[in-house]
Each structure stands twice: as C-alpha cells, then as structure tokens.
Amino acid sequence: MASKSGSSKRKNGAKGEIVDGSKIMELVGNEQVFSNFVDNKFDELDKDRDGKLSMKELEPAVADIGAGLGLPAQGTSPDSDHIYYEVLNEFTHGKQEKVSKMEFKEVLSDILLGMAAGLKRDPIVILRMQGEDLLEFVNGPSYEAEMASIFSQIESPSGSLRDHVIEAFGRLTVDHGIPPTSDSWVFNNIVDPALSQAGPALDKPASQETFLEEFKRVAFSVAEFLKEKPVIVAHSENTFDGRGVKRLLSNKFELERTLNLALENLSKDRNGKISKDNLRVALDLVSPSAGLPPVGAIEEMDKVIVEAFKMVNADDRNTVTEEEFKKSLTEILGGIMLQLEGNPISVSSNSVVHEPLGSSSTLLQPSSSETA
C-alpha cells in the first residue's frame, strides 16, 4: 500500500520515503480509476466466476488489508486476529452470504479511506538502512558519550564483552543507523556474522574502555553487512491526545452513523437488547473513526480504556437497549478523551519490511494500467 509523497530526513541524515495515504486518496477519489481497480481485483478474487465472492474468496483480500494496516499475519497473534475477523465482517455484514461487486466496492472504499486518513494523521517513514548512518554515528562526536551511557545502564556485571555488545545493539535505534536487532533476520544475517568476525576478542570481561573499542569494531562490520544486505524499516511515531475522539464526539451525525454501523455487527437477544460484554468489541469497531489504535495494540492505551470502563461501570454484563448501549459507548469515548487530553500517549515503532515495498499487499496496489 506504499503511497509515497516525497522524502523525509531523520536527525542523523537518513532519508526516508513518506507513506501518508495520498496515493490511496487519489485512487478512491477518481471514480473511473477506482471502478477499474475494483473490477480487476474482484475478478482476481472471484475464482469460480459466479459474480460474487465467498468467504473463502475474500480471505486474500482480508489478508492484504491486514498487511496494509501493518498487522501480523493472520493466525499469529490473538490481539490482531479479531481485527481480521472484523474486516471480514465488514464485507459480509456478519452473515455467511456471498458478497456482490457493489458491496465489495463500497466496503473497500470505506476501508481504504479509513487507512488513508490514519496515514495522513500518522505517516509512516520507510527507511533504507545500508550502513552509512551507522558509520556516521560511530565516527561522530557523540559516540563515546552515548555508548558509555549505554554501558553503564547494562546490568550484567559478570557478563562477557560479547553479551554487552549484543545488549548495546539492542538499545540503539534507527536514529543511530541500526535496524531493530530484535528481528531474527536482522540478528542472524547482520549482527551475528559481525560478532563472529570479532572472534575471541569478545570473550574477555567487559570494561568500559574495551567495550567502546570492540563495539566500534563490530559496528564497522555491521555497517559492511548492511551495505551488502540493506534492511528496509517502516518507522512511525504516533501521539494519541484525544483530538480524534473529540472530533467524532462533536459531530453528532458522524457519531450516530459510526455507532449504528458498529451495532450492526453485534449480536442481539430476541428483544433486540445487547449485552454490555460487547462494549469492547464495539469500541474496537469505532476506534478508527476516533483516531484510536485497536484494543490490545498499545499497553498504555489499554490502561486508559480500563479506566474509562470503570468510570461508566461498563463491566456489569447487563443487557441493555441499543440506545443505552450507544450511550455507554459514547461515555467510554468521553472518558478516553479526557484522560488523553490530560496525559497524551506517544508511541513509536520500527518494523523490518521483509518483502519488497508494495508486494505484500497486492489488493492495495493498482496495476500500471489503472494509474496511467
């Protein structure tokens, strides 16, 4: 889903391509181009050529939307699997029925516009790490002070120099020219070979002097491996300060529409009442419209949600009417807004992109004929 609209310079000089949703907006905003896009993608998915998409035929589309949202692959994380389920529900309206091309187009348009709005608010910067920025840091004036500080923070007095070097790499960031070493591919293909080149020199006890010297030596090797095998990292910085929630709550028409859409996907009893157990599911459904992350995605945000539920006694498990349910959900949103206004939550993330840009989400990539 890469939509590039220029480049950004990070503080160490690294250039990154900005993914801000502008290309998605251009696609959906052009009726003829978007219709052609939908026709081609629908035909790709409609394997039995019956003019409708079954649940099974929709699965690749749902998987691609998940990839476009930056979610782990379906089946690998309980926290994100429910989002895949909700996306599928958006297409099928919670029923086991096939989806027509018109329904597919309407839902896909809504999802893409939601993604574009999120990227406009919180763009992603795609960084290509190929060793230059790491060399700049290691040869720069701040190297000794920063690495000495990291050395003093490593709580491993009996650990070998190798242990300290590995720990130190884990504490550096993309601003230092290092991709996340917690990623197994990065560690196995970049860091570990550099450690092997250092050999027995890393087996001795760690002192600050030897650490600074040997870390620099290993960092030079890491830079060489990055030059041979550049690593692409998706970097994002998000601040949740309640403004998105406030915008939604202040627009009564949009709020009512969002709440009603959420309620359509919830089960009701024979009297049309809804269990308050569904409030968390409903909150997840309205979160994109309120500028909030999915429930379970950010620990600090989950704490805010727990407090908001306590404020309105939302965990009593009673069944209520639709209007009462919407009132409780609105109060929860208000509670979240107040907390975020007082204490905004800022998060940043760095994810290694293991596939060429755009190839992981074929659904969201128009062909050249559609954009010509």
Side-chain angles (χ1 to χ4, degrees):
M1 102 177 174
S3 61
K4 294 168 267 189
S5 65
S7 64
S8 168
K9 275 205 166 194
R10 299 191 58 72
K11 69 182 182 183
N12 63 347
K15 287 186 178 180
E17 295 173 316
I18 300 174
V19 181
D20 64 357
S22 58
K23 294 295 183 184
I24 296 176
M25 292 294 291
E26 289 176 16
L27 170 66
V28 180
N30 188 316
E31 177 60 31
Q32 182 177 350
V33 171
F34 186 59
S35 292
N36 291 339
F37 172 79
V38 170
D39 287 343
N40 289 338
K41 300 308 175 185
F42 190 91
D43 289 343
E44 287 176 15
L45 296 168
D46 186 15
K47 299 299 183 183
D48 61 8
R49 297 290 181 258
D50 68 347
K52 291 192 174 185
L53 299 180
S54 65
M55 300 273 283
K56 185 171 183 60
E57 288 172 330
L58 279 167
E59 286 176 0
V62 173
D64 275 345
I65 288 170
L69 291 169
L71 298 176
Q74 191 169 8
T76 62
S77 169
D79 288 336
S80 59
D81 279 354
H82 72 96
I83 301 176
Y84 284 100
Y85 175 76
E86 297 302 339
V87 170
L88 186 59
N89 263 353
E90 283 291 310
F91 282 112
T92 64
H93 303 294
K95 303 173 184 176
Q96 300 290 319
E97 296 176 358
K98 291 192 172 187
V99 176
S100 68
K101 184 182 290 187
M102 182 58 68
E103 291 171 320
F104 178 73
K105 180 180 180 180
E106 289 174 354
V107 174
L108 184 58
S109 174
D110 287 344
I111 291 174
L112 291 180
L113 288 174
M115 292 169 64
L119 286 169
K120 183 178 181 180
R121 183 180 64 250
D122 300 307
I124 295 172
V125 179
I126 303 298
L127 302 170
R128 184 178 178 86
M129 320 216 73
Q130 47 195 9
E132 296 170 351
D133 305 308
L134 177 58
L135 291 176
E136 184 179 326
F137 166 65
V138 171
N139 292 320
S142 66
Y143 170 75
E144 286 201 9
E146 285 198 52
M147 296 312 300
S149 175
I150 287 175
F151 179 82
S152 68
Q153 295 169 23
I154 297 175
E155 298 177 358
S156 182
S158 59
S160 69
L161 187 54
R162 180 184 302 271
D163 294 334
H164 281 72
V165 169
I166 292 173
E167 176 73 18
F169 272 116
R171 291 174 182 246
L172 295 181
T173 69
V174 293
D175 286 328
H176 301 95
I178 288 289
T181 58
S182 57
D183 182 273
S184 59
W185 189 94
V186 171
F187 187 85
N188 293 333
N189 291 274
I190 304 295
V191 178
D192 199 40
L195 294 169
S196 297
Q197 284 188 353
L202 297 180
D203 294 333
K204 51 191 174 185
S207 68
Q208 180 173 301
E209 183 179 355
T210 56
F211 168 77
L212 292 174
E213 180 181 338
E214 293 302 328
F215 184 89
K216 179 176 285 193
R217 198 188 311 274
V218 176
F220 284 143
S221 295
V222 167
E224 284 300 312
F225 282 110
L226 283 172
K227 185 177 180 180
E228 295 172 13
K229 303 175 182 178
V231 176
I232 297 174
V233 175
H235 173 82
S236 64
E237 298 179 0
N238 304 327
T239 298
F240 302 100
D241 55 10
R243 282 186 291 180
V245 183
K246 190 172 186 176
R247 278 194 298 269
L248 178 62
L249 293 178
S250 63
N251 187 331
K252 298 302 181 185
F253 175 80
E254 184 62 24
L255 175 63
E256 188 68 15
R257 174 181 169 276
T258 302
L259 295 177
N260 287 336
L261 285 173
L263 263 61
E264 286 180 6
N265 293 286
L266 303 179
S267 59
K268 305 174 182 64
D269 65 16
R270 66 180 65 183
N271 297 315
K273 291 189 174 183
I274 308 172
S275 171
K276 290 172 79 171
D277 283 340
N278 289 311
L279 278 168
R280 277 184 171 78
V281 175
L283 178 61
D284 220 20
L285 291 171
V286 304
S287 286
S289 299
L292 298 173
V295 176
I298 300 173
E299 184 178 353
E300 294 93 334
M301 184 63 71
D302 289 344
K303 293 177 182 177
V304 169
I305 291 171
V306 168
E307 287 304 312
F309 270 68
K310 288 179 181 177
M311 288 166 64
V312 300
N313 194 28
D315 288 318
D316 59 17
R317 298 194 158 191
N318 290 338
T319 56
V320 295
T321 65
E322 287 192 9
E323 288 305 314
E324 290 171 325
F325 188 91
K326 287 193 288 187
K327 183 173 182 288
S328 293
L329 188 54
T330 301
E331 290 174 347
I332 290 169
L333 287 169
I336 292 173
M337 180 189 72
L338 291 174
Q339 292 182 74
L340 293 178
E341 286 179 337
N343 295 289
I345 294 174
S346 296
V347 295
S348 65
S349 65
N350 297 294
S351 303
V352 176
V353 180
H354 291 287
E355 300 179 34
L357 287 181
S359 67
S360 63
S361 185
T362 56
L363 176 73
L364 304 179
Q365 283 294 312
S367 65
S368 58
S369 64
E370 290 161 0
T371 56

